[in-house]
Amino acid sequence: MITNLLRAVPTALLRMIVLAVVREAGEHNYDSSNNLLDQYDFIVVGAGTAGGILAARLSEVSNWKILLLESGGPPPPESYVPAFNIALIEGDADWNFRPRPAALQPQGLPGPPFRSSGLTDLPLLQVCPFPRGKCLGGSSVLNWMMYVRGNRRDYDNWEAMGNPGWDYESVLRYFKKAEGYRGKRNIHTGSYHGRDGPLTVEDKRWSSPLLTGFLKAGQQLGYQIVDPNGPEQIGFSVADMTQRNGLRGSTAETYIKPAAARPNLHVAVNAHILFDENKRAIGVRFQQKGKMRTVRARREVILSAGAIGSPHLLLLSGVGPAKHLQQHGIPVLVDLPGVGLNLQDHPSIFGLAWTTRKGVSISIPRLADPKSVKDFIFNRQGPFTSPFGVEGNAWSLAEKGDPYWPDLQYLFISGTPALDSGLAIWDLIGYRREVFFEYFGHMLGRDGFSIGPMLTRPKSRGTVKLASRDPLQAPLIDPNFLSHPDDVETFVRGIKFALSVGNTSALRDDFQAIFNEKVLPVCDHEVPGSDAYWSCYALSMASTTFHPCGTCKMAPDSDPYGVLDHNLKLRGVSGLRVIDASMMPLITTGNLNAPVAMIAEKGADIIKSDWGAPVDPLP
Ligand SMILES: Cc1cc2nc3c(=O)[nH]c(=O)nc-3n(C[C@H](O)[C@H](O)[C@H](O)COP(=O)(O)OP(=O)(O)OC[C@H]3O[C@@H](n4cnc5c(N)ncnc54)[C@H](O)[C@@H]3O)c2cc1C
Ligand SMILES: *[C@@H]1O[C@H](CO)[C@@H](O)[C@H](O)[C@H]1NC(C)=O
């Protein structure tokens, strides 16, 4: 664990510096907590990617009054600087959850605290940090800013599962409505992009020389360089960035900030919702600055507290599996067995690493170079404009089923987990210290890269459950990664593909890439390089890619585990919708921020049309 002191001093210093050079970072002081009304038309709970968009869109109807409630405060100043992305994990805008496998949930013991569970002696990375944004902008303030929509088949499949209106052609228009594409690269796929939306998407402003090696490697393996947000996703690509003028473009910046100027939108921060009541959601009760407050909703309450927060709030309010609620002494309002089930995420392996010749990867000295600092301050260019090490993505052809619906994605990072010489990265990923030093010890501080295979549609399912009826206790999160044997097998394929990328002449010869041949200590009972070895490797090294979703899934009435209908209304009550990553019936084939933005844009239009408000024509 990074100790609080080790963190607090540099953080305070960093914030002062950032505030001095990034004007935008200090402009989030529009908290209306001191003059809240007793009643609003709509109350949106959670100001993350989805909640920020919903509040902004609903407040376009000038005779509706909207309240946006958020547990955290304004985005931390350093979040504006893309390269500080990893410094945000376990910072004060992070909920600091730690997942806890079911096997370690003894009945009757209190749940894990919001910081660390202290379970550091587990062989698996099941207890890795599990960052979730806690501030205006939510996880869009912590994320790595890659703009990825997923595969058209993801959405056609949602519709085929019994959810009308969510097919690719329909959602494409909402992706375009959200997007403000300002890049120059995707010329041939221009018709797939939106230009007038608030969510600005820019070309990467800085890349390490290794990125060209990665793209060339893809071509040497027979893949094309593609715009994964165009017609097809298979291929190698440069990451497009959800940013604005070289700074992070969170939904706090792109949606909430401009909308907060409207008199009909109130934003209240540092609120923590406790519960709402009745078969009709009539309002919310929350604690703020030590005081309990109640605010009523004339039309609807919308939960946008994220894939962990939304099921947590429903369970606390008596909506969920009856038996589980009774165990915690919570009166059952609606027995909805699906709440908190169907937790999906993308497990990734961040440990496949290569060393290279000097001077080609991202590094701390390179970032600290006065030229980089000047370039950022005066031109909004250079390595500070890029999330640390994030370069590109690839999707390989699937071997089973539809080849164009990939089951693996690969994140290319121009650095290894040892690039900071063992200072902090190992801890943020969740490695055990001894394992880290034994496996990566010989590459501390050296130039290199990593290729992270990620399962795009894993078969394993996890859960979010109550640890206690105390709303301030973190829920129990069990990602249950790799519990399905097919997921391990897919990872073995993904590891082999990653190794073949690293072994192309584009990387091996041009950059002198050498794979870390050390045997992973916990797998030394297997023959190195065998399938059994790589299975063990995957089971030991997989961790979250920070994409939890699915915990309040949208499904037709015939599915007993459905929680929402296709208009995102909660089953069994009225006046309540859930609109965020938790609605996904099946996770999408890529990072989740753009899909969640699409869901919120579409959700806002569904609400407007249900209440007879004007709906803008779609692009
Ligand atoms: C480290 C990291 C890297 C990522 N990288 C990428 C990436 O590169 N590309 C990409 O597309 N996606 C990425 N993601 C994922 C993406 O950002 C999320 O999937 C997306 O932001 C989820 O949006 P949401 O609205 O569902 O939830 P969130 O954005 O998490 O919003 C939920 C909000 O609700 C608030 N809340 C919760 N409980 C309560 C309560 N009781 N009362 C009041 N408020 C509450 C939270 O504080 C939060 O602000 C990343 C995520 C992380 C954490
Ligand atoms: C790398 O590729 C070369 C041929 O280009 C091959 O001889 C060698 O076995 C490969 N190495 C690995 C580890 O796959």
Side-chain angles (χ1 to χ4, degrees):
M1 269 23 45
I2 301 176
T3 66
N4 290 342
L5 190 67
L6 193 71
R7 176 149 215 157
V9 175
T11 303
L13 200 69
L14 190 65
R15 284 186 182 167
M16 275 168 53
I17 298 170
V18 172
L19 282 170
V21 301
V22 181
R23 181 182 42 81
E24 293 87 335
E27 290 175 352
H28 276 278
N29 44 9
Y30 36 72
D31 182 6
S32 329
S33 309
N34 292 330
N35 31 31
L36 293 189
L37 309 173
D38 294 332
Q39 194 174 45
Y40 289 83
D41 290 285
F42 294 92
I43 301 174
V44 180
V45 180
T49 300
I53 294 176
L54 280 156
R57 289 301 186 191
L58 295 178
S59 66
E60 289 170 349
V61 182
S62 57
N63 61 343
W64 283 353
K65 297 214 179 320
I66 317 294
L67 174 63
L68 178 60
L69 283 175
E70 168 54 46
S71 275
E78 67 274 20
S79 67
Y80 279 79
V81 183
F84 295 151
N85 58 319
I86 42 178
L88 300 165
I89 298 180
E90 297 202 309
D92 53 15
D94 181 355
W95 283 87
N96 280 306
F97 293 127
R98 288 274 171 156
R100 188 181 238 200
L104 294 166
Q105 294 174 11
Q107 289 299 320
L109 285 186
F114 279 78
R115 255 202 103 71
S116 162
S117 65
L119 298 167
T120 48
D121 54 344
L122 282 172
L124 305 184
L125 279 173
Q126 306 268 22
V127 288
C128 54
F130 198 82
R132 296 281 82 207
K134 186 183 186 181
C135 60
L136 293 181
S139 299
S140 75
V141 169
L142 260 54
N143 74 20
W144 295 0
M145 300 165 51
M146 283 174 273
Y147 180 81
V148 179
R149 293 175 177 178
N151 195 287
R152 57 193 307 145
R153 293 155 189 81
D154 294 330
Y155 305 102
D156 285 339
N157 185 51
W158 284 6
E159 180 166 83
M161 291 166 91
N163 304 295
W166 292 91
D167 60 295
Y168 178 67
E169 285 306 326
S170 304
V171 304
L172 177 59
R173 307 186 73 183
Y174 283 102
F175 277 116
K176 288 165 75 172
K177 178 173 186 184
E179 187 184 21
Y181 182 67
R182 296 182 180 177
K184 299 209 162 50
R185 261 183 309 102
N186 300 320
I187 307 157
H188 302 297
T189 49
S191 67
Y192 285 79
H193 291 277
R195 283 179 182 69
D196 304 322
L199 199 73
T200 37
V201 175
E202 295 183 344
D203 285 335
K204 233 169 161 312
R205 295 188 173 208
W206 183 85
S207 301
S208 80
L210 285 165
L211 176 61
T212 53
F214 174 67
L215 298 174
K216 198 167 146 197
Q219 289 173 312
Q220 290 179 347
L221 293 172
Y223 283 88
Q224 290 184 342
I225 298 171
V226 294
D227 169 10
N229 302 312
E232 288 294 351
Q233 188 182 22
I234 299 289
F236 281 56
S237 63
V238 182
D240 279 337
M241 292 292 154
T242 313
Q243 61 183 40
R244 184 176 280 183
N245 193 22
L247 301 178
R248 175 187 292 275
S250 71
T251 53
E253 190 63 19
T254 55
Y255 281 88
I256 304 175
K257 190 190 273 186
R262 296 184 186 134
N264 62 332
L265 173 62
H266 279 169
V267 179
V269 297
N270 300 122
H272 200 105
I273 313 302
L274 293 182
F275 45 82
D276 54 12
E277 26 190 309
N278 274 331
K279 291 257 177 187
R280 176 171 176 80
I282 54 166
V284 295
R285 228 153 82 78
F286 58 98
Q287 191 180 344
Q288 196 178 43
K289 297 174 189 151
K291 268 201 325 215
M292 288 299 299
R293 309 179 68 154
T294 304
V295 176
R296 298 170 80 86
R298 199 172 295 128
R299 297 173 200 260
E300 290 190 29
V301 175
I302 298 153
L303 277 189
S304 298
I308 307 302
S310 288
H312 188 204
L313 282 173
L314 288 177
L315 295 171
L316 290 168
S317 312
V319 179
K323 239 178 88 192
H324 179 56
L325 299 176
Q326 282 153 0
Q327 274 169 0
H328 289 281
I330 295 174
V332 180
L333 191 71
V334 187
D335 179 14
L336 260 192
V339 174
L341 302 189
N342 193 45
L343 173 63
Q344 299 169 61
D345 192 345
H346 291 134
S348 281
I349 296 172
F350 288 113
L352 296 171
W354 287 256
T355 54
T356 58
R357 65 181 156 84
K358 265 176 99 88
V360 292
S361 53
I362 181 83
S363 67
I364 291 166
R366 182 167 221 159
L367 206 58
D369 183 336
K371 190 183 164 308
S372 304
V373 177
K374 257 172 54 191
D375 218 17
F376 178 72
I377 296 177
F378 298 109
N379 310 319
R380 295 279 187 263
Q381 296 290 345
F384 279 98
T385 64
S386 181
F388 200 74
V390 170
E391 301 281 357
N393 280 300
W395 286 266
S396 57
L397 285 163
E399 278 182 16
K400 291 175 187 160
D402 184 340
Y404 293 96
W405 199 10
D407 49 7
L408 285 156
Q409 176 179 339
Y410 307 85
L411 173 61
F412 186 71
I413 299 178
S414 56
T416 77
L419 78 97
D420 66 344
S421 303
L423 203 65
I425 293 176
W426 65 274
D427 189 37
L428 298 176
I429 300 177
Y431 296 133
R432 269 194 292 155
R433 200 178 159 78
E434 324 77 80
V435 174
F436 172 83
F437 280 102
E438 200 169 330
Y439 187 58
F440 293 109
H442 61 292
M443 40 206 286
L444 296 183
R446 291 182 55 188
D447 275 70
F449 61 83
S450 316
I451 303 177
M454 173 184 118
L455 302 186
T456 53
R457 284 187 315 287
K459 294 186 179 170
S460 310
R461 297 287 181 269
T463 53
V464 175
K465 288 187 176 159
L466 292 173
S468 131
R469 62 178 296 178
D470 173 3
L472 297 177
Q473 270 277 307
L476 296 169
I477 304 167
D478 179 7
N480 205 17
F481 285 138
L482 305 192
S483 53
H484 195 294
D486 288 1
D487 289 352
V488 180
E489 200 189 303
T490 309
F491 252 140
V492 172
R493 257 193 298 126
I495 291 170
K496 289 179 178 169
F497 185 83
L499 293 176
S500 69
V501 175
N503 193 32
T504 52
S505 75
L507 289 166
R508 196 190 53 220
D509 298 339
D510 299 359
F511 291 95
Q512 292 154 31
I514 298 169
F515 181 63
N516 176 15
E517 292 280 13
K518 275 247 165 181
V519 174
L520 191 69
V522 290
C523 298
D524 58 7
H525 55 286
E526 304 289 359
V527 180
S530 64
D531 284 8
Y533 174 78
W534 291 124
S535 299
C536 170
Y537 192 97
L539 283 161
S540 314
M541 297 290 269
S543 61
T544 174
T545 321
F546 325 119
H547 298 161
C549 64
T551 44
C552 301
K553 76 170 178 182
M554 165 178 79
D557 285 346
S558 54
D559 182 341
Y561 293 99
V563 176
L564 307 173
D565 74 5
H566 65 275
N567 287 321
L568 309 181
K569 285 184 174 162
L570 189 74
R571 256 191 215 178
V573 302
S574 56
L576 188 61
R577 296 188 215 236
V578 181
I579 306 184
D580 57 28
S582 40
M583 67 70 84
M584 294 189 174
L586 188 64
I587 195 166
T588 55
T589 310
N591 314 55
L592 294 197
N593 193 57
V596 172
M598 175 279 287
I599 291 161
E601 287 281 11
K602 185 166 160 65
D605 270 9
I606 293 174
I607 293 171
K608 284 178 177 175
S609 72
D610 277 4
W611 291 95
V615 173
D616 289 339
L618 286 173

